[in-house]
Amino acid sequence: MKNSNTTRLMEAARTELQVGGSLTHDPGRRALLGRSATAVAAGVTALAAGRSAAAPLAVPAANLAMGRALPESEYGMPSKFEAHVKRRRTDVFVNKQNFSDWSMTPLHQQHGTVTPNGLIYERHHNGVPEINPDEHRFAIHGMVKQPLVFTMSDLMKYPSVSKFYFMECSGNGLTDWLKAASKTVQQTHGMLSCAQWTGIPVSTLLQEAGVMPGATWALAEGADGAAHARSIPMQKMLEDALIVYAANGEMLRPENGYPLRLFIPGWEGNVSIKWLRRIKLGDQPWNLRSETARYTDPMPDGKWRQFSFAMEAKSVVTSPSGGMTVRPGEIEILGFAWSGQGSIRAVDVTLDGGRTWQEATLEPPVLDKCLTRFRLRWKWDGRPTSIASRAVDSTGYVQPTVEEIKKVRAITGFVQHHNGIFPWSIDAAGEVKNAIA
C-alpha cells in the first residue's frame, strides 16, 4: 500500500509539473531547447514582446551551467544587478566638505517598510569615528544617586527589546519649501529611514542609577569628533527612549552609531545621539549651539523656537515620483506615511492637482511611529496632472500644505521640519517632476 501511495503521489507531481509547463522538469524538451542558442534567443524575444503563452519558455543560461559555489563563510551582498541602489550625498545643497554632511535613502527603490542597513540615511557633524567596542565606555552621571559606567559587554547582559521605528532628519526637505530644487524623491525626502532597533530601555539603566528628585533634563553626548550633544526632557527618556546597539538583526553600522547610540522614537534624528558615550541628568537644558542656532525654527514674529522635537505627520508618493516616466493605463500609486506622534490613521491621494482626494489603502502592519506603506490603483488617461498625498495620524492631525505652515512658521533661511504636502507633476509625455511650486 505504501509503495502504491508513493507511486500515485509521484505521478501526480509529474503531471502537475507538465500542466504548469515547467521546462526544467521536462528533460526531453529541455535538451531540445538547450541545443540551440538561436532558439533561446527567439524565446526571450517572444517573451519580451508579450506573445502568447503557447510560445515555448526559453531555458536561461543559468539553467544550463553550475552556479556559484557556496563559500565557507561570507557576508552576503545584494545582487550586482542592484548596484545602482545606493545612498547618495546631496547634490542639491552641496557642502564644500563631507565631514558635516548627509547622504539620503533611495525611498523609490525601497521595498516594504524596513530600510536595509546599508541604505539608512546618514547625518554626520564631523565624520564617522572608528570605535573599538572593547574600549568603549558609556556613563550615566549628574543628578543620580549612583553614577554608573558600562562596557559594551556589561550592556549586552541587560534585557533588550526590538522595536520598529522610523527615523527622520529635521532637515528632510529643506531645499524644497518654496521652489522645485530637487529632482527625485531620494533628494526631496531621503533623510528618512525605518528599521527594527534593538537595545535597552533607557528607563532600565536610569532606574539602576537612581534618578534624583528635580532631574528634569538629560544631556546625551556622542564620542565623535564633534561631540554632538542634545538636551532631552526626562519624561521622554523614561517613556520610550532606547540605548541601541543593533538594527535589523545586526550590530549597528559605523555610520549609524556603532557600537552604541541613543534612539528617541518619533523625534528629529539629531537627538538620537550616535556613538553615545554619556548621559548626564540635570534640572534644565544645556542650551548648546545645536539648541540655540542649528536645530531651531524661525517664527513669524522674528523669534526662534527651541526644542521642537516631534516629527509631525507626513507622507510622500514614492512611485511614480520625480525622474520616472509613466505610460497611460493602470498605475499603482505607492508611498510612505509616518507620524512621530502616533500611528497613521489614513492617507488621501489627489490625482487632479488637489481638486479631489481619494482614500488610499494602508498596508499592514500599521505601527506606532513607523513607516506605513499606502497604495492606490489609478488609470491615467494621458492628460497632464499633479498627484500628491496627505496623511492623517491617530491624534487627528492632518498633514498641512506649505501655505498652511507659513501661517505659523517663518519660511526663511535654513528651515527645519518641512512636513507639507508634496506634489509631483505628470506631463503629456508621462515625465514625472517635482511640482512644489
Side-chain angles (χ1 to χ4, degrees):
M1 178 64 75
K2 182 177 180 179
N3 288 337
S4 176
N5 283 339
T6 301
T7 300
R8 181 176 56 79
L9 289 171
M10 291 179 63
E11 179 61 25
R14 190 181 68 80
T15 302
E16 181 182 347
L17 289 168
Q18 289 177 338
V19 170
S22 172
L23 301 178
T24 56
H25 288 78
D26 187 337
R29 206 172 182 187
R30 178 181 179 182
L32 176 64
L33 291 175
R35 293 190 197 104
S36 172
T38 301
V40 171
V44 171
T45 302
L47 287 175
R51 286 164 58 177
S52 73
L57 179 64
V59 178
N63 270 148
L64 305 175
M66 299 292 286
R68 178 172 60 88
L70 188 68
E72 185 173 338
S73 65
E74 71 170 350
Y75 195 95
M77 300 296 290
S79 164
K80 65 180 182 181
F81 301 107
E82 299 299 320
H84 60 289
V85 181
K86 294 179 178 178
R87 278 188 302 234
R88 298 186 185 281
R89 285 183 61 204
T90 175
D91 52 3
V92 180
F93 186 85
V94 180
N95 284 327
K96 295 180 180 179
Q97 45 72 39
N98 60 4
F99 291 103
S100 179
D101 208 344
W102 52 85
S103 67
M104 311 174 87
T105 297
L107 297 175
H108 57 300
Q109 293 164 323
Q110 176 177 321
H111 305 283
T113 54
V114 173
T115 309
N117 287 335
L119 297 178
I120 292 177
Y121 83 85
E122 304 166 85
R123 173 69 175 101
H124 311 311
H125 295 82
N126 198 8
V128 180
E130 185 174 282
I131 298 176
N132 184 336
D134 294 335
E135 299 172 358
H136 189 65
R137 298 292 182 271
F138 164 63
I140 295 177
H141 64 124
M143 294 181 66
V144 295
K145 296 175 182 175
Q146 176 63 51
L148 300 172
V149 177
F150 303 90
T151 66
M152 287 300 299
S153 178
D154 293 334
L155 293 170
M156 299 294 280
K157 296 174 184 175
Y158 281 83
S160 66
V161 297
S162 295
K163 300 281 189 178
F164 290 95
Y165 290 126
F166 80 85
M167 180 173 64
E168 183 182 20
C169 178
S170 60
N172 201 19
L174 63 88
T175 58
D176 293 84
W177 278 96
L178 302 174
K179 62 179 182 179
S182 304
K183 180 179 179 182
T184 69
V185 71
Q186 182 171 13
Q187 294 169 326
T188 61
H189 290 74
M191 287 191 285
L192 168 72
S193 300
C194 185
Q196 185 192 45
W197 307 95
T198 297
I200 309 155
V202 172
S203 59
T204 299
L205 302 181
L206 290 182
Q207 184 177 21
E208 184 168 320
V211 179
M212 294 178 64
T216 54
W217 286 82
L219 175 76
E221 182 182 88
D224 57 322
H228 178 60
R230 288 301 311 266
S231 305
I232 302 164
M234 278 294 294
Q235 182 179 352
K236 182 67 172 176
M237 294 290 269
L238 295 171
E239 182 178 286
D240 58 4
L242 300 174
I243 302 291
V244 163
Y245 50 77
N248 296 332
E250 66 174 16
M251 296 299 284
L252 293 169
R253 299 285 176 94
E255 66 270 25
N256 293 129
Y258 182 85
L260 198 67
R261 73 175 300 164
L262 182 64
F263 194 89
I264 308 294
W267 284 15
E268 56 188 25
N270 68 79
V271 298
S272 290
I273 302 296
K274 295 188 286 190
W275 314 293
L276 184 67
R277 64 180 292 268
R278 69 178 178 128
I279 290 176
K280 180 180 181 179
L281 305 192
D283 58 4
Q284 56 186 319
W286 276 256
N287 290 308
L288 307 171
R289 176 175 178 273
S290 57
E291 298 163 349
T292 58
R294 178 169 284 167
Y295 295 113
T296 56
D297 306 314
M299 305 303 286
D301 61 2
K303 296 181 179 179
W304 289 72
R305 180 177 64 180
Q306 289 180 274
F307 307 121
S308 53
F309 295 117
M311 303 304 290
E312 296 177 307
K314 189 172 177 180
S315 68
V316 65
V317 173
T318 58
S319 182
S321 59
M324 296 181 180
T325 301
V326 297
R327 296 178 178 178
E330 292 285 342
I331 294 173
E332 184 172 50
I333 307 289
L334 292 173
F336 288 122
W338 62 100
S339 173
Q341 305 196 90
S343 58
I344 293 299
R345 190 170 77 190
V347 175
D348 299 321
V349 173
T350 179
L351 305 168
D352 54 13
R355 289 191 294 275
T356 62
W357 295 83
Q358 300 180 42
E359 186 167 349
T361 299
L362 304 185
E363 184 176 283
V366 178
L367 303 175
D368 189 60
K369 303 179 180 66
C370 189
L371 286 192
T372 296
R373 172 72 80 183
F374 65 85
R375 300 172 181 272
L376 181 70
R377 298 294 296 180
W378 175 44
K379 189 173 184 178
W380 181 46
D381 59 10
R383 290 184 293 181
T385 189
S386 175
I387 63 174
S389 61
R390 69 181 178 196
V392 182
D393 72 14
S394 54
T395 71
Y397 178 90
V398 180
Q399 183 181 357
T401 63
V402 172
E403 291 301 314
E404 290 170 333
I405 296 174
K406 287 169 66 176
K407 296 176 183 176
V408 294
R409 304 261 306 278
I411 310 302
T412 179
F414 205 73
V415 186
Q416 312 280 328
H417 290 266
H418 181 353
N419 71 317
I421 292 172
F422 195 93
W424 302 108
S425 66
I426 304 176
D427 64 19
E431 188 175 355
V432 186
K433 295 181 179 178
N434 182 341
I436 192 64

